[in-house]
Amino acid sequence: MLVLGIETSCDETGVALCDSRSGLLANLLHSQAELHAVYGGVVPELASRDHIRKITPLVREALDQAGVQLSDLDGVAYAAGPGLMGALLVGAAFGRSLAWSLGKPAIGVHHMEAHLLAPLMEAEQPPLPFVALLVSGGHTQLVKVAGIGAYEMLGESLDDAVGEAFDKVGKMLGLGYPGGPAVATCAEGGDAERFRFPRPMTDRPGLDFSFSGLKTFALNTVNAHQPLTSQDRADIARAFEEAAVDTLLIKCRRALAACGCEHLVMAGGVSANRRLRQRLEAQLDARVHYAELALCTDNGAMIAYAGCERLSVGERTPLSIITRPRWPMTELSPPALCSGAQ
Ligand code: KG4
Ligand code: ZN
Protein backbone atom coordinates (compact mmCIF):
# COMPACT_ATOMS: atom_id res chain seq x y z
CA MET A 1 0.00 0.00 0.00
CA LEU A 2 1.44 3.37 -1.09
CA VAL A 3 0.49 6.26 1.18
CA LEU A 4 1.18 9.99 0.87
CA GLY A 5 1.75 11.56 4.31
CA ILE A 6 1.27 15.26 4.99
CA GLU A 7 2.40 17.05 8.16
CA THR A 8 1.42 20.69 8.74
CA SER A 9 0.57 20.81 12.44
CA CYS A 10 3.04 23.54 13.40
CA ASP A 11 6.04 25.12 11.68
CA GLU A 12 7.24 22.37 9.39
CA THR A 13 5.73 21.29 6.09
CA GLY A 14 6.47 17.58 5.77
CA VAL A 15 5.54 15.40 2.81
CA ALA A 16 6.47 11.72 2.47
CA LEU A 17 5.62 8.60 0.52
CA CYS A 18 5.58 5.35 2.45
CA ASP A 19 5.05 1.94 0.94
CA SER A 20 3.96 -0.86 3.26
CA ARG A 21 6.37 -3.28 1.56
CA SER A 22 9.37 -1.21 0.45
CA GLY A 23 9.30 1.45 3.19
CA LEU A 24 10.02 5.14 2.76
CA LEU A 25 10.23 6.25 -0.90
CA ALA A 26 10.51 10.00 -0.28
CA ASN A 27 10.62 12.23 2.78
CA LEU A 28 10.75 16.00 2.25
CA LEU A 29 10.66 18.76 4.81
CA HIS A 30 10.45 22.50 4.66
CA SER A 31 11.27 24.16 7.97
CA GLN A 32 9.79 27.57 8.75
CA ALA A 33 12.38 28.22 11.48
CA GLU A 34 13.87 31.20 9.63
CA LEU A 35 10.43 32.73 9.07
CA HIS A 36 9.56 32.67 12.78
CA ALA A 37 13.04 33.31 14.21
CA VAL A 38 12.68 37.11 14.16
CA TYR A 39 9.58 36.79 16.36
CA GLY A 40 11.23 34.35 18.81
CA GLY A 41 8.45 31.78 18.36
CA VAL A 42 5.86 30.45 15.93
CA VAL A 43 3.40 33.02 14.52
CA PRO A 44 0.34 30.85 13.65
CA GLU A 45 -0.97 32.94 10.73
CA LEU A 46 2.45 33.06 9.07
CA ALA A 47 2.76 29.29 9.58
CA SER A 48 -0.55 28.60 7.78
CA ARG A 49 0.34 30.86 4.85
CA ASP A 50 3.73 29.25 4.42
CA HIS A 51 2.22 25.73 4.46
CA ILE A 52 -0.08 26.85 1.62
CA ARG A 53 2.93 28.07 -0.38
CA LYS A 54 4.99 24.92 0.12
CA ILE A 55 2.58 22.00 0.12
CA THR A 56 1.96 21.60 -3.63
CA PRO A 57 5.61 21.90 -4.75
CA LEU A 58 6.66 19.46 -2.00
CA VAL A 59 4.07 16.87 -3.04
CA ARG A 60 5.19 17.19 -6.68
CA GLU A 61 8.83 16.81 -5.67
CA ALA A 62 8.10 13.77 -3.49
CA LEU A 63 6.26 12.04 -6.35
CA ASP A 64 9.16 12.82 -8.73
CA GLN A 65 11.75 11.50 -6.26
CA ALA A 66 9.83 8.28 -5.72
CA GLY A 67 9.14 7.91 -9.45
CA VAL A 68 5.41 7.47 -8.89
CA GLN A 69 2.25 9.31 -9.96
CA LEU A 70 -0.78 10.48 -8.04
CA SER A 71 -2.77 7.65 -9.59
CA ASP A 72 -0.37 5.13 -7.96
CA LEU A 73 -1.40 6.25 -4.45
CA ASP A 74 -3.54 3.89 -2.37
CA GLY A 75 -4.37 6.53 0.23
CA VAL A 76 -3.58 9.90 1.74
CA ALA A 77 -2.75 10.55 5.41
CA TYR A 78 -2.60 14.00 6.98
CA ALA A 79 -2.01 15.28 10.50
CA ALA A 80 -5.47 16.17 11.84
CA GLY A 81 -4.36 17.26 15.34
CA PRO A 82 -3.25 18.22 17.88
CA GLY A 83 -1.60 21.40 16.64
CA LEU A 84 -2.31 24.90 15.34
CA MET A 85 -5.83 25.12 13.89
CA GLY A 86 -4.94 27.12 10.76
CA ALA A 87 -1.81 25.10 10.06
CA LEU A 88 -3.65 21.78 10.46
CA LEU A 89 -6.43 22.98 8.17
CA VAL A 90 -3.99 23.46 5.28
CA GLY A 91 -2.78 19.84 5.34
CA ALA A 92 -6.22 18.43 6.12
CA ALA A 93 -8.02 20.37 3.38
CA PHE A 94 -5.30 19.54 0.86
CA GLY A 95 -5.00 15.87 1.83
CA ARG A 96 -8.72 15.16 2.16
CA SER A 97 -9.54 16.89 -1.13
CA LEU A 98 -6.70 15.23 -3.02
CA ALA A 99 -7.85 11.79 -1.83
CA TRP A 100 -11.42 12.58 -2.86
CA SER A 101 -10.34 13.76 -6.32
CA LEU A 102 -8.41 10.50 -6.81
CA GLY A 103 -11.20 8.34 -5.44
CA LYS A 104 -8.82 7.01 -2.78
CA PRO A 105 -9.28 6.71 1.00
CA ALA A 106 -7.92 9.30 3.42
CA ILE A 107 -7.09 9.26 7.09
CA GLY A 108 -6.64 12.07 9.62
CA VAL A 109 -3.67 11.06 11.77
CA HIS A 110 -3.03 11.95 15.41
CA HIS A 111 0.30 13.81 15.42
CA MET A 112 1.49 12.31 18.74
CA GLU A 113 0.51 8.79 17.70
CA ALA A 114 2.60 9.34 14.58
CA HIS A 115 5.56 10.41 16.75
CA LEU A 116 5.03 7.35 18.95
CA LEU A 117 5.01 4.96 15.99
CA ALA A 118 8.02 6.55 14.20
CA PRO A 119 10.59 4.39 16.05
CA LEU A 120 8.73 1.31 14.79
CA MET A 121 9.98 2.14 11.30
CA GLU A 122 13.41 0.98 12.50
CA ALA A 123 14.50 -2.61 11.87
CA GLU A 124 14.24 -3.67 15.51
CA GLN A 125 10.68 -3.53 16.81
CA PRO A 126 9.89 -3.45 20.55
CA PRO A 127 7.63 -6.25 21.78
CA LEU A 128 4.23 -5.24 23.18
CA PRO A 129 3.40 -3.93 25.67
CA PHE A 130 6.01 -1.17 26.03
CA VAL A 131 6.29 2.21 27.70
CA ALA A 132 6.55 5.28 25.47
CA LEU A 133 8.11 8.58 26.48
CA LEU A 134 6.72 11.31 24.22
CA VAL A 135 8.73 14.50 24.41
CA SER A 136 7.95 17.32 21.99
CA GLY A 137 7.39 21.07 21.94
CA GLY A 138 3.80 20.65 23.11
CA HIS A 139 3.73 17.37 25.03
CA THR A 140 5.59 15.43 27.72
CA GLN A 141 3.84 12.12 28.27
CA LEU A 142 4.46 8.62 29.53
CA VAL A 143 2.15 6.11 27.88
CA LYS A 144 1.68 2.38 28.24
CA VAL A 145 1.24 0.96 24.75
CA ALA A 146 -0.60 -2.34 24.37
CA GLY A 147 -0.97 -1.92 20.59
CA ILE A 148 -1.73 0.72 17.98
CA GLY A 149 -4.53 2.85 19.42
CA ALA A 150 -4.42 1.10 22.82
CA TYR A 151 -2.88 3.77 24.99
CA GLU A 152 -2.96 4.23 28.74
CA MET A 153 -1.76 7.63 29.93
CA LEU A 154 0.60 7.04 32.85
CA GLY A 155 1.67 10.62 33.38
CA GLU A 156 2.05 13.98 31.65
CA SER A 157 3.21 17.52 32.18
CA LEU A 158 0.95 19.65 34.32
CA ASP A 159 2.34 22.82 32.72
CA ASP A 160 5.12 23.38 30.13
CA ALA A 161 6.27 20.57 27.86
CA VAL A 162 9.96 19.73 28.14
CA GLY A 163 10.63 20.92 24.55
CA GLU A 164 8.90 24.20 25.36
CA ALA A 165 11.18 24.59 28.41
CA PHE A 166 14.23 23.95 26.19
CA ASP A 167 12.95 26.61 23.77
CA LYS A 168 12.35 29.16 26.53
CA VAL A 169 15.76 28.57 28.13
CA GLY A 170 17.31 28.96 24.67
CA LYS A 171 15.53 32.29 24.32
CA MET A 172 16.69 33.58 27.73
CA LEU A 173 20.27 32.61 26.88
CA GLY A 174 19.98 34.51 23.59
CA LEU A 175 20.45 31.33 21.54
CA GLY A 176 17.59 32.03 19.13
CA TYR A 177 14.66 29.90 17.98
CA PRO A 178 14.14 26.96 18.15
CA GLY A 179 16.04 26.69 21.40
CA GLY A 180 16.22 22.93 21.94
CA PRO A 181 19.07 21.98 19.60
CA ALA A 182 20.89 25.26 20.42
CA VAL A 183 20.72 24.62 24.19
CA ALA A 184 22.01 21.07 23.63
CA THR A 185 24.96 22.33 21.56
CA CYS A 186 25.73 25.14 24.03
CA ALA A 187 25.57 22.67 26.97
CA GLU A 188 28.40 20.62 25.47
CA GLY A 189 30.92 23.24 26.61
CA GLY A 190 29.33 23.63 30.05
CA ASP A 191 30.52 22.60 33.52
CA ALA A 192 27.95 20.22 35.02
CA GLU A 193 29.15 20.94 38.58
CA ARG A 194 28.76 24.72 38.65
CA PHE A 195 24.96 25.00 39.05
CA ARG A 196 22.48 22.47 40.39
CA PHE A 197 18.96 22.93 39.05
CA PRO A 198 15.91 21.21 40.64
CA ARG A 199 14.48 17.89 39.40
CA PRO A 200 10.77 18.84 39.60
CA MET A 201 8.26 16.41 41.13
CA THR A 202 10.79 13.61 41.57
CA ASP A 203 10.61 13.80 45.38
CA ARG A 204 7.06 12.43 45.46
CA PRO A 205 5.41 9.38 43.91
CA GLY A 206 3.66 9.63 40.55
CA LEU A 207 4.48 9.95 36.88
CA ASP A 208 3.39 13.51 36.10
CA PHE A 209 5.85 16.23 35.18
CA SER A 210 6.17 19.97 35.73
CA PHE A 211 8.78 22.02 33.88
CA SER A 212 7.69 25.60 34.54
CA GLY A 213 9.55 25.80 37.89
CA LEU A 214 12.73 24.54 36.24
CA LYS A 215 12.36 27.23 33.56
CA THR A 216 11.91 29.92 36.26
CA PHE A 217 14.98 28.59 38.10
CA ALA A 218 16.94 29.01 34.87
CA LEU A 219 15.61 32.56 34.45
CA ASN A 220 16.60 33.50 38.03
CA THR A 221 20.10 32.10 37.42
CA VAL A 222 20.36 34.08 34.17
CA ASN A 223 19.26 37.28 35.94
CA ALA A 224 21.74 36.74 38.80
CA HIS A 225 24.70 36.51 36.42
CA GLN A 226 24.29 39.53 34.15
CA PRO A 227 26.06 40.23 31.89
CA LEU A 228 26.40 36.59 30.84
CA THR A 229 29.73 35.36 29.53
CA SER A 230 29.72 32.55 26.97
CA GLN A 231 30.93 30.21 29.76
CA ASP A 232 27.96 31.29 31.96
CA ARG A 233 25.64 30.44 29.07
CA ALA A 234 27.19 27.03 28.59
CA ASP A 235 27.09 26.24 32.33
CA ILE A 236 23.43 27.25 32.63
CA ALA A 237 22.50 25.28 29.48
CA ARG A 238 24.33 22.25 30.91
CA ALA A 239 22.65 22.53 34.33
CA PHE A 240 19.24 22.85 32.70
CA GLU A 241 19.80 19.93 30.33
CA GLU A 242 21.08 17.71 33.17
CA ALA A 243 18.03 18.54 35.32
CA ALA A 244 15.57 17.93 32.46
CA VAL A 245 17.24 14.66 31.46
CA ASP A 246 17.48 13.45 35.07
CA THR A 247 13.79 14.18 35.62
CA LEU A 248 12.78 12.25 32.50
CA LEU A 249 15.09 9.37 33.44
CA ILE A 250 13.65 9.04 36.96
CA LYS A 251 10.07 9.01 35.68
CA CYS A 252 10.86 6.51 32.89
CA ARG A 253 12.42 4.15 35.42
CA ARG A 254 9.30 4.40 37.58
CA ALA A 255 6.95 3.87 34.63
CA LEU A 256 8.84 0.79 33.43
CA ALA A 257 8.75 -0.69 36.93
CA ALA A 258 5.05 0.09 37.38
CA CYS A 259 4.16 -1.61 34.08
CA GLY A 260 6.67 -4.45 34.33
CA CYS A 261 8.02 -3.50 30.89
CA GLU A 262 11.57 -3.91 29.62
CA HIS A 263 11.28 -1.80 26.49
CA LEU A 264 11.06 1.98 26.28
CA VAL A 265 10.17 3.80 23.09
CA MET A 266 11.17 7.45 23.07
CA ALA A 267 9.76 9.82 20.46
CA GLY A 268 9.13 13.48 19.61
CA GLY A 269 11.56 16.35 18.95
CA VAL A 270 13.39 16.13 22.30
CA SER A 271 14.20 12.45 21.64
CA ALA A 272 16.82 13.87 19.23
CA ASN A 273 18.73 15.08 22.32
CA ARG A 274 22.02 13.19 22.50
CA ARG A 275 22.45 13.46 26.26
CA LEU A 276 18.92 12.12 26.84
CA ARG A 277 19.58 9.14 24.54
CA GLN A 278 22.91 8.37 26.21
CA ARG A 279 21.59 8.64 29.77
CA LEU A 280 18.45 6.55 29.16
CA GLU A 281 20.48 3.85 27.39
CA ALA A 282 23.16 3.77 30.08
CA GLN A 283 20.98 4.08 33.16
CA LEU A 284 17.69 2.33 32.46
CA ASP A 285 17.29 -1.36 33.00
CA ALA A 286 15.51 -1.55 29.65
CA ARG A 287 16.09 -1.57 25.91
CA VAL A 288 15.59 1.95 24.55
CA HIS A 289 14.16 2.43 21.05
CA TYR A 290 14.12 5.68 19.09
CA ALA A 291 13.82 6.85 15.52
CA GLU A 292 16.67 8.14 13.39
CA LEU A 293 17.33 11.85 14.02
CA ALA A 294 15.34 13.20 11.05
CA LEU A 295 12.28 11.22 12.17
CA CYS A 296 12.33 12.51 15.79
CA THR A 297 11.28 16.06 14.99
CA ASP A 298 8.17 16.76 12.90
CA ASN A 299 8.14 15.06 9.51
CA GLY A 300 5.80 13.67 6.88
CA ALA A 301 7.20 10.13 7.07
CA MET A 302 5.71 9.44 10.49
CA ILE A 303 2.28 10.62 9.27
CA ALA A 304 2.53 8.39 6.19
CA TYR A 305 3.60 5.42 8.33
CA ALA A 306 0.89 5.87 10.99
CA GLY A 307 -1.68 6.46 8.24
CA CYS A 308 -0.58 3.34 6.42
CA GLU A 309 -0.99 1.26 9.61
CA ARG A 310 -4.60 2.39 9.93
CA LEU A 311 -5.56 2.56 6.23
CA SER A 312 -4.21 -0.93 5.57
CA VAL A 313 -6.80 -2.50 7.87
CA GLY A 314 -9.63 -0.51 6.32
CA GLU A 315 -9.91 2.53 8.56
CA ARG A 316 -11.01 5.71 6.76
CA THR A 317 -11.81 9.30 7.69
CA PRO A 318 -15.19 10.50 6.35
CA LEU A 319 -15.40 13.16 3.65
CA SER A 320 -15.69 16.17 5.98
CA ILE A 321 -12.47 18.03 6.74
CA ILE A 322 -12.04 17.68 10.48
CA THR A 323 -9.11 18.98 12.52
CA ARG A 324 -8.69 18.80 16.29
CA PRO A 325 -6.24 21.36 17.73
CA ARG A 326 -6.71 19.61 21.10
CA TRP A 327 -7.02 15.85 20.87
CA PRO A 328 -6.18 13.60 23.84
CA MET A 329 -4.35 10.51 22.59
CA THR A 330 -6.36 8.29 24.93
CA GLU A 331 -9.45 9.00 22.80
CA LEU A 332 -7.91 6.94 19.99
CA SER A 333 -8.97 3.36 19.39
CA PRO A 334 -7.25 0.49 17.63
CA PRO A 335 -7.55 0.63 13.81
CA ALA A 336 -11.09 -0.15 12.77
CA LEU A 337 -13.05 -0.78 9.63
CA CYS A 338 -15.34 2.17 8.85
CA SER A 339 -18.34 1.58 6.64
CA GLY A 340 -19.49 4.03 4.03
CA ALA A 341 -16.52 6.40 4.12
CA GLN A 342 -14.37 6.89 1.07
O1 KG4 B 1 8.19 16.95 17.81
P1 KG4 B 1 8.60 18.32 17.48
O2 KG4 B 1 9.42 18.53 16.23
O3 KG4 B 1 7.37 19.27 17.37
C1 KG4 B 1 6.27 19.18 18.21
O4 KG4 B 1 5.43 18.28 18.01
O5 KG4 B 1 6.24 20.01 19.14
O6 KG4 B 1 9.40 18.86 18.73
C2 KG4 B 1 9.97 20.13 18.73
C3 KG4 B 1 10.65 20.35 20.06
C4 KG4 B 1 11.12 21.78 20.21
O7 KG4 B 1 10.74 22.23 21.48
C5 KG4 B 1 12.62 21.65 20.05
O8 KG4 B 1 13.32 22.66 20.73
C6 KG4 B 1 12.86 20.28 20.65
O9 KG4 B 1 11.81 19.50 20.17
N1 KG4 B 1 14.16 19.71 20.24
C7 KG4 B 1 15.17 19.44 21.08
C8 KG4 B 1 16.24 18.93 20.30
N2 KG4 B 1 15.83 18.91 19.00
C9 KG4 B 1 14.55 19.38 18.98
N3 KG4 B 1 15.27 19.59 22.41
C10 KG4 B 1 16.43 19.24 22.99
N4 KG4 B 1 17.50 18.74 22.32
C11 KG4 B 1 17.45 18.57 20.99
N5 KG4 B 1 18.50 18.09 20.32
ZN1 ZN C 1 5.71 16.95 16.73
Side-chain angles (χ1 to χ4, degrees), residues 7 9 111-112 115 136-137 268-269 296-298 302:
E7 157 61 34
S9 68
H111 179 86
M112 294 311 294
H115 271 305
S136 71
C296 290
T297 42
D298 290 350
M302 66 181 192

mmCIF file of all heavy atoms in Angstrom, residues 7 9 111-112 115 136-137 268-269 296-298 302, ligand 2:
data_model
loop_
_atom_site.group_PDB
_atom_site.id
_atom_site.type_symbol
_atom_site.label_atom_id
_atom_site.label_comp_id
_atom_site.label_asym_id
_atom_site.label_seq_id
_atom_site.Cartn_x
_atom_site.Cartn_y
_atom_site.Cartn_z
ATOM 1 N N GLU A 7 2.302 16.499 6.811
ATOM 2 C CA GLU A 7 2.401 17.050 8.156
ATOM 3 C C GLU A 7 2.422 18.572 8.079
ATOM 4 O O GLU A 7 3.314 19.154 7.438
ATOM 5 C CB GLU A 7 3.699 16.517 8.807
ATOM 6 C CG GLU A 7 4.266 17.341 9.948
ATOM 7 C CD GLU A 7 3.333 17.488 11.136
ATOM 8 O OE1 GLU A 7 2.579 16.543 11.441
ATOM 9 O OE2 GLU A 7 3.341 18.564 11.756
ATOM 10 N N SER A 9 1.219 20.438 11.173
ATOM 11 C CA SER A 9 0.574 20.808 12.443
ATOM 12 C C SER A 9 1.173 22.036 13.105
ATOM 13 O O SER A 9 0.539 22.676 13.930
ATOM 14 C CB SER A 9 0.605 19.622 13.406
ATOM 15 O OG SER A 9 1.924 19.377 13.802
ATOM 16 N N HIS A 111 -1.120 13.457 15.516
ATOM 17 C CA HIS A 111 0.302 13.809 15.417
ATOM 18 C C HIS A 111 1.169 13.087 16.462
ATOM 19 O O HIS A 111 2.274 12.628 16.152
ATOM 20 C CB HIS A 111 0.413 15.332 15.575
ATOM 21 C CG HIS A 111 1.791 15.870 15.528
ATOM 22 N ND1 HIS A 111 2.431 16.201 14.359
ATOM 23 C CD2 HIS A 111 2.683 16.136 16.523
ATOM 24 C CE1 HIS A 111 3.639 16.657 14.633
ATOM 25 N NE2 HIS A 111 3.826 16.624 15.947
ATOM 26 N N MET A 112 0.664 12.953 17.691
ATOM 27 C CA MET A 112 1.486 12.315 18.738
ATOM 28 C C MET A 112 1.530 10.800 18.559
ATOM 29 O O MET A 112 2.522 10.156 18.893
ATOM 30 C CB MET A 112 0.984 12.682 20.146
ATOM 31 C CG MET A 112 1.135 14.155 20.490
ATOM 32 S SD MET A 112 2.786 14.844 20.150
ATOM 33 C CE MET A 112 3.811 13.979 21.318
ATOM 34 N N HIS A 115 4.248 10.360 16.091
ATOM 35 C CA HIS A 115 5.564 10.407 16.752
ATOM 36 C C HIS A 115 5.857 9.068 17.434
ATOM 37 O O HIS A 115 6.938 8.509 17.313
ATOM 38 C CB HIS A 115 5.585 11.496 17.835
ATOM 39 C CG HIS A 115 6.000 12.849 17.336
ATOM 40 N ND1 HIS A 115 7.175 13.072 16.668
ATOM 41 C CD2 HIS A 115 5.398 14.068 17.445
ATOM 42 C CE1 HIS A 115 7.280 14.376 16.377
ATOM 43 N NE2 HIS A 115 6.211 14.987 16.833
ATOM 44 N N SER A 136 7.934 16.410 23.138
ATOM 45 C CA SER A 136 7.950 17.319 21.992
ATOM 46 C C SER A 136 7.842 18.754 22.489
ATOM 47 O O SER A 136 7.995 19.029 23.673
ATOM 48 C CB SER A 136 6.790 16.971 21.062
ATOM 49 O OG SER A 136 5.575 17.342 21.661
ATOM 50 N N GLY A 137 7.540 19.675 21.548
ATOM 51 C CA GLY A 137 7.394 21.068 21.945
ATOM 52 C C GLY A 137 6.075 21.320 22.669
ATOM 53 O O GLY A 137 5.929 22.307 23.378
ATOM 54 N N GLY A 268 9.389 12.039 19.564
ATOM 55 C CA GLY A 268 9.133 13.483 19.610
ATOM 56 C C GLY A 268 10.449 14.237 19.515
ATOM 57 O O GLY A 268 11.522 13.655 19.675
ATOM 58 N N GLY A 269 10.375 15.535 19.246
ATOM 59 C CA GLY A 269 11.558 16.346 18.953
ATOM 60 C C GLY A 269 12.683 16.214 19.974
ATOM 61 O O GLY A 269 13.862 16.138 19.601
ATOM 62 N N CYS A 296 12.708 12.154 14.404
ATOM 63 C CA CYS A 296 12.334 12.513 15.788
ATOM 64 C C CYS A 296 11.518 13.791 15.785
ATOM 65 O O CYS A 296 10.455 13.868 16.393
ATOM 66 C CB CYS A 296 13.582 12.721 16.646
ATOM 67 S SG CYS A 296 14.472 11.200 16.987
ATOM 68 N N THR A 297 12.025 14.811 15.102
ATOM 69 C CA THR A 297 11.278 16.064 14.994
ATOM 70 C C THR A 297 10.195 15.887 13.921
ATOM 71 O O THR A 297 10.157 14.877 13.226
ATOM 72 C CB THR A 297 12.239 17.218 14.629
ATOM 73 O OG1 THR A 297 13.141 16.748 13.631
ATOM 74 C CG2 THR A 297 13.042 17.657 15.835
ATOM 75 N N ASP A 298 9.327 16.898 13.790
ATOM 76 C CA ASP A 298 8.174 16.756 12.903
ATOM 77 C C ASP A 298 8.582 16.402 11.467
ATOM 78 O O ASP A 298 9.545 16.951 10.936
ATOM 79 C CB ASP A 298 7.365 18.064 12.892
ATOM 80 C CG ASP A 298 6.658 18.270 14.225
ATOM 81 O OD1 ASP A 298 6.652 17.339 15.042
ATOM 82 O OD2 ASP A 298 6.107 19.362 14.424
ATOM 83 N N MET A 302 6.427 10.064 9.370
ATOM 84 C CA MET A 302 5.706 9.438 10.492
ATOM 85 C C MET A 302 4.190 9.477 10.254
ATOM 86 O O MET A 302 3.465 8.578 10.671
ATOM 87 C CB MET A 302 6.078 10.113 11.820
ATOM 88 C CG MET A 302 5.633 11.554 11.956
ATOM 89 S SD MET A 302 6.159 12.255 13.545
ATOM 90 C CE MET A 302 5.187 13.777 13.571
HETATM 91 ZN ZN ZN B 2 5.706 16.949 16.727
#
